[in-house]
Amino acid sequence: MTDGDYDYLIKLLALGDSGVGKTTFLYRYTDNKFNPKFITTVGIDFREKRVVYTASNPNGTTTGKTFKVHLQLWDTAGQERFRSLTTAFFRDAMGFLLMFDLTSQQSFLNVRNWMSQLQANAYCENPDIVLVGNKADLADQREVQEKQAKELADKYGIPYFETSAATGAEVDKAVITLLDLVMKRMEQCVDKPPAEPANGNGATKLGDAQPNEKKCAC
Amino acid sequence: MDLNLLQTLEKDRVLEVLRRDKQLRIIEEDRIRRMKYELQELRRRGAKSFARQYGERTCARCQRPLGKFWNSGAVCRGCSHRICSRCRVGAADWKCTVCHAYREVKIRSGEWFLEEKAKKFPVTTDKYETVGEKLLKTYNVLSHISVVPPTPPPHLDYHFLSRSGDLKNSKPFTKSMENLMVSFTSHIRKISTSQNDVQGDLLSVDNGRKASCFTYSTQKSLSDTDINKTTHLFKVPSLPNLFKKSKDSDHEGSSTGAEEETSFGSEYSGGKRGSSSSISTECGLFEGITVAGELELALAYNTSTSCLEITVGACRNLTYGDAKKRKCHPYVKLYVLPERSGKMKTAVKKNTTDPVFNEVLKYQIERHLLFGKRLQVTVWHSGSLRRKVFLGEVLIPLDGWRFEDKASQYFNWYPLCPKAESPSGGLVEQDGGELVKFSSNNQGELLKLSSLKCLQEKETHLTVRQIR
């Protein structure tokens, strides 16, 4: 699938603590397979997938227009020693899958740190992020409650999904939601500021001043 | 950030990933280039061409006349041009076709992202680079050596410089024969650089001689036909013979050696001219005209409109486009290379070899996109029956241009150069070699043979020099 026959190249990136399942998550998404073995990612890696995206109006109705989207899904090492390398790649991604392990309270607590890493290193202050709690199938080992995670996601104003790379539950949905956010952001970016940078009123200022309330209609 | 903190194996793994990323990026860049080219085409088809002034009462996109009351058009919010109802996209919040396409390209090419990113991480280098790209470059230095253009000898002027600047950016297009011409020559340059490396020292030494070879060949191709050329090439001694000769000449001493060498030089460059004119007969463009004269240009970049403004002043001492009738109707054509985008032309001046144009041609381009671009300014004679004759060209690299510098905005005289000539002899046989690919007629075989001959000749040519 390495030809230029697509309409958009969208670069997403998965981040989170070591062992939360970023690689298996992406493997499930691109190949629809599950690899239970833990192989630590060396620095960075990426997977690709071609999807068809159906455009929708701001009010939610589909326009029926479809686009071919080539997804480049960057996978990062969660290990601390690769940190400087992985965070450098944050700035080239258009959207982020912030992942934690539902069976590890610690990985959830670290979400905060990852958020500040993103703020510092991503292409803008308030990039599009989806919070993903992985390993939802391991119900008996669960340490993080859905309510807890949902609250945190709401605080940041980002969507939250409980996924399982083992069963494939919600995996597609999490990625598609992120893709949708990025696609909407593209339109916004092109439509508002550049036309009148000098007398940029209301709309632009709002976006800049209150990064935490960036959520639009979605 | 560097990869030296990692173990060797880890580093290799990461570089492998980055190489995969590069593959993807190449495809993406290609796609973007295609998209931008199409946009440029769309824009070109519309108004704002300087050759044909559009009035207030025509649609700025399709040039159809607009009425005073009926179908009077409306002003587009994007470009402030008056647009007829047919050239609009969208309903209430419409835009003209070009503005719409421009917006689409901005989204689809990911330019929106680069712009957003630049707000937070200001671009210092004139070019957007991903982290992976940078890293790969730093750690892949070795594999890049072959592509690094050689330092040109100091007495060569900027034309040569600009040509080597093209190396990294040349991408073949197959739009027309004219495009082919450019693409294959630039392609050749890419290959020939490696030879430049080898020949570097040779070049600086016998540049003067080479120059004379070239002028000689140009005149030759005036009279000879293509077929003659190819047959002429068959007379060229074969490789073993040449080796013998070169050895002989080595024994005989330097004076004969020198003679031998000059004759080789003229013969193979003759071959080159012949082969390139066999292509050009198809587009009827390059005749064996001796290029002479100068062109007056001024360049400025208007940051408020994001326009490159090229003022074509005048030409002097041009050659006659029609040598028999001693007539010349020159005009100037501009392209931005390597894409050959933004074709612009001046008006045709009748019966003069010293035309005065004083026309400002504008090319809309973001400032940072000028990186790696060159301005190709060609002078043509507009003959009867739409026959065009090439009178000379000037290549100006745009990336190093100091637009802020007031002095650079004044007029400058540039000497006109012949087309597709390279400082290195390496171009010659490659020229022939590439031709084989493009010639679909039965001359292909002939050409292949001839190019092979050229190549052999070339090699011996080199050995002769090295022995001496």
Side-chain angles (χ1 to χ4, degrees):
Chain A
M1 51 182 214
T2 41
D3 61 83
D5 181 29
Y6 52 86
D7 301 310
Y8 302 93
L9 173 72
I10 303 292
K11 302 175 184 183
L12 306 180
L13 183 141
L15 68 155
D17 275 10
S18 178
V20 299
K22 296 178 289 298
T23 306
T24 39
F25 177 92
L26 294 179
Y27 185 55
R28 168 60 87 180
Y29 179 68
T30 56
D31 295 48
N32 201 20
K33 284 178 190 152
F34 178 61
N35 182 4
K37 265 189 269 171
F38 176 62
I39 304 162
T40 181
T41 305
V42 178
I44 42 138
D45 195 3
F46 70 85
R47 309 189 72 86
E48 296 164 68
K49 182 163 173 159
R50 192 72 62 87
V51 296
V52 175
Y53 175 81
T54 311
S56 61
N57 287 327
N59 51 27
T61 56
T62 56
T63 54
K65 265 191 202 165
T66 57
F67 303 103
K68 277 174 260 177
V69 176
H70 192 83
L71 284 177
Q72 189 184 23
L73 301 150
W74 285 94
D75 186 11
T76 58
Q79 282 180 14
E80 182 70 41
R81 66 189 198 94
F82 295 115
R83 195 59 49 87
S84 69
L85 179 72
T86 54
T87 50
F89 280 82
F90 287 4
R91 75 167 63 174
D92 293 319
M94 301 168 178
F96 300 90
L97 293 155
L98 206 179
M99 299 184 54
F100 67 92
D101 183 352
L102 286 169
T103 66
S104 154
Q105 184 70 34
Q106 188 54 45
S107 74
F108 177 65
L109 291 175
N110 278 337
V111 166
R112 250 168 244 279
N113 299 337
W114 287 112
M115 277 305 277
S116 55
Q117 287 278 6
L118 273 184
Q119 248 165 26
N121 296 296
Y123 74 96
C124 70
E125 299 290 330
N126 55 331
D128 293 306
I129 308 165
V130 165
L131 185 66
V132 176
N134 198 23
K135 309 193 188 176
D137 54 304
L138 305 174
D140 49 334
Q141 296 167 41
R142 192 178 181 112
E143 287 182 13
V144 183
Q145 295 316 307
E146 187 175 354
K147 190 167 162 270
Q148 231 183 323
K150 193 90 189 73
E151 269 168 17
L152 187 70
D154 286 346
K155 198 189 121 200
Y156 291 122
I158 60 177
Y160 169 64
F161 293 94
E162 298 202 336
T163 66
S164 164
T167 65
E170 299 277 84
V171 169
D172 281 22
K173 209 172 159 191
V175 180
I176 293 302
T177 306
L178 180 59
L179 174 62
D180 206 46
L181 286 176
V182 174
M183 298 293 274
K184 292 218 167 74
R185 158 112 32 173
M186 297 199 299
E187 305 268 335
Q188 283 170 16
C189 280
V190 178
D191 284 337
K192 54 174 188 186
E196 58 263 288
N199 53 348
N201 44 22
T204 29
K205 269 186 201 152
L206 249 172
D208 290 343
Q210 294 156 309
N212 278 343
E213 292 173 41
K214 57 131 197 170
K215 273 302 114 209
C216 49
C218 6
Chain B
M1 169 213 28
D2 67 326
L3 297 179
N4 289 332
L5 296 168
L6 308 183
Q7 291 155 16
T8 324
L9 270 178
E10 290 175 338
K11 202 162 96 181
D12 289 349
R13 278 279 280 280
V14 170
L15 287 177
E16 188 49 48
V17 170
L18 295 183
R19 264 175 229 126
R20 272 202 297 136
D21 177 44
K22 192 183 174 188
Q23 291 297 319
L24 189 67
R25 218 164 43 227
I26 288 168
I27 293 167
E28 173 71 355
E29 275 163 13
D30 228 52
R31 189 182 70 96
I32 292 172
R33 198 171 296 116
R34 254 192 339 256
M35 231 158 30
K36 293 206 166 156
Y37 178 75
E38 277 161 22
L39 176 66
Q40 208 55 248
E41 280 291 292
L42 186 72
R43 188 175 296 176
R44 197 177 57 81
R45 262 180 267 135
K48 283 192 96 177
S49 84
F50 285 81
R52 107 192 111 149
Q53 287 287 333
Y54 71 96
E56 177 69 17
R57 287 284 153 211
T58 52
C59 167
R61 294 302 158 219
C62 61
Q63 303 286 349
R64 282 200 195 88
L66 296 170
K68 269 212 158 78
F69 305 105
W70 178 253
N71 187 25
S72 58
V75 174
C76 169
R77 283 201 223 172
C79 57
S80 315
H81 284 303
R82 194 162 273 276
I83 308 292
C84 78
S85 51
R86 270 188 262 189
C87 299
R88 300 177 195 171
V89 183
D93 200 17
W94 63 271
K95 278 181 171 166
C96 76
T97 43
V98 167
C99 287
H100 178 77
Y102 182 76
R103 177 182 177 274
E104 280 293 291
V105 167
K106 205 165 168 182
I107 294 179
R108 294 190 180 200
S109 65
E111 211 174 298
W112 68 274
F113 181 72
L114 300 179
E115 277 176 13
E116 287 295 302
K117 192 163 70 172
K119 282 182 200 163
K120 191 174 170 188
F121 305 101
V123 193
T124 45
T125 50
D126 241 5
K127 197 192 170 213
Y128 291 108
E129 258 185 340
T130 62
V131 173
E133 207 173 340
K134 268 185 220 152
L135 264 178
L136 194 62
K137 263 190 199 154
T138 338
Y139 287 89
N140 245 2
V141 188
L142 273 175
S143 67
H144 276 282
I145 280 181
S146 57
V147 206
V148 172
T151 322
H155 64 275
L156 293 179
D157 57 11
Y158 55 90
H159 305 292
F160 297 149
L161 258 173
S162 59
R163 282 180 195 284
S164 44
D166 181 40
L167 296 172
K168 287 165 269 161
N169 303 306
S170 59
K171 279 279 169 1
F173 265 107
T174 45
K175 200 195 134 218
S176 65
M177 279 316 274
E178 214 180 328
N179 277 356
L180 264 177
M181 201 59 192
V182 167
S183 70
F184 88 70
T185 41
S186 56
H187 189 64
I188 288 150
R189 269 172 226 136
K190 204 186 276 176
I191 309 167
S192 58
T193 15
S194 51
Q195 275 162 4
N196 282 357
D197 285 342
V198 187
Q199 289 185 324
D201 47 345
L202 269 172
L203 255 176
S204 53
V205 181
D206 55 22
N207 218 286
R209 183 180 291 158
K210 192 156 285 165
S212 63
C213 288
F214 270 114
T215 40
Y216 174 47
S217 68
T218 1
Q219 270 146 13
K220 251 184 126 172
S221 61
L222 248 174
S223 51
D224 289 358
T225 62
D226 309 344
I227 308 289
N228 280 351
K229 279 288 157 205
T230 20
T231 44
H232 172 70
L233 278 161
F234 275 113
K235 291 179 206 146
V236 169
S238 63
L239 182 62
N241 284 347
L242 270 175
F243 261 121
K244 225 182 277 166
K245 268 191 189 171
S246 65
K247 269 181 194 146
D248 288 348
S249 63
D250 196 32
H251 287 304
E252 277 165 35
S254 60
S255 59
T256 34
E259 264 177 46
E260 196 92 46
E261 197 176 302
T262 17
S263 64
F264 283 168
S266 62
E267 263 183 26
Y268 79 66
S269 41
K272 173 233 172 180
R273 278 287 152 187
S275 45
S276 62
S277 61
S278 75
I279 260 210
S280 33
T281 40
E282 283 186 69
C283 40
L285 292 170
F286 314 103
E287 301 217 345
I289 283 250
T290 35
V291 171
E294 289 163 295
L295 169 71
E296 193 188 32
L297 278 181
L299 258 73
Y301 187 81
N302 188 332
T303 32
S304 57
T305 56
S306 310
C307 268
L308 181 66
E309 292 174 353
I310 305 117
T311 317
V312 181
C315 294
R316 58 188 180 200
N317 307 324
L318 293 175
T319 23
Y320 286 106
D322 191 340
K324 268 188 214 152
K325 293 183 190 161
R326 293 181 65 76
K327 277 199 169 164
C328 194
H329 313 310
Y331 68 95
V332 176
K333 188 160 78 173
L334 278 93
Y335 272 119
V336 175
L337 302 181
E339 296 98 319
R340 277 176 86 70
S341 57
K343 180 177 167 186
M344 293 166 278
K345 281 188 206 170
T346 66
V348 178
K349 299 289 170 192
K350 291 274 180 190
N351 287 322
T352 174
T353 50
D354 304 296
V356 178
F357 300 98
N358 277 329
E359 280 186 49
V360 183
L361 304 176
K362 292 181 187 175
Y363 177 63
Q364 194 162 37
I365 182 169
E366 295 290 340
R367 179 71 195 271
H368 64 87
L369 293 177
L370 286 175
F371 185 79
K373 299 271 197 300
R374 292 174 311 141
L375 188 68
Q376 183 193 41
V377 189
T378 45
V379 184
W380 298 83
H381 159 70
S382 166
S384 51
L385 298 169
R386 291 176 149 205
R387 221 168 57 97
K388 290 175 248 162
V389 181
F390 177 76
L391 297 178
E393 77 164 352
V394 173
L395 286 169
I396 300 169
L398 293 175
D399 35 17
W401 198 267
R402 293 199 307 276
F403 292 103
E404 283 75 21
D405 190 349
K406 275 275 171 272
S408 69
Q409 295 180 12
Y410 298 143
F411 277 116
N412 260 322
W413 284 99
Y414 298 91
L416 289 168
C417 297
K419 212 163 195 145
E421 186 185 298
S422 142
S424 83
L427 179 66
V428 177
E429 87 278 357
Q430 303 289 6
D431 232 340
E434 274 296 309
L435 261 174
V436 179
K437 225 194 211 163
F438 297 124
S439 55
S440 49
N441 51 14
N442 44 10
Q443 258 186 26
E445 267 320 293
L446 275 168
L447 281 167
K448 190 184 268 173
L449 276 166
S450 66
S451 65
L452 203 72
K453 286 270 160 60
C454 281
L455 190 98
Q456 293 170 346
E457 205 178 303
K458 184 78 207 17
E459 273 169 20
T460 28
H461 188 56
L462 264 176
T463 30
V464 174
R465 287 182 187 183
Q466 269 153 2
I467 289 165
R468 291 173 64 234

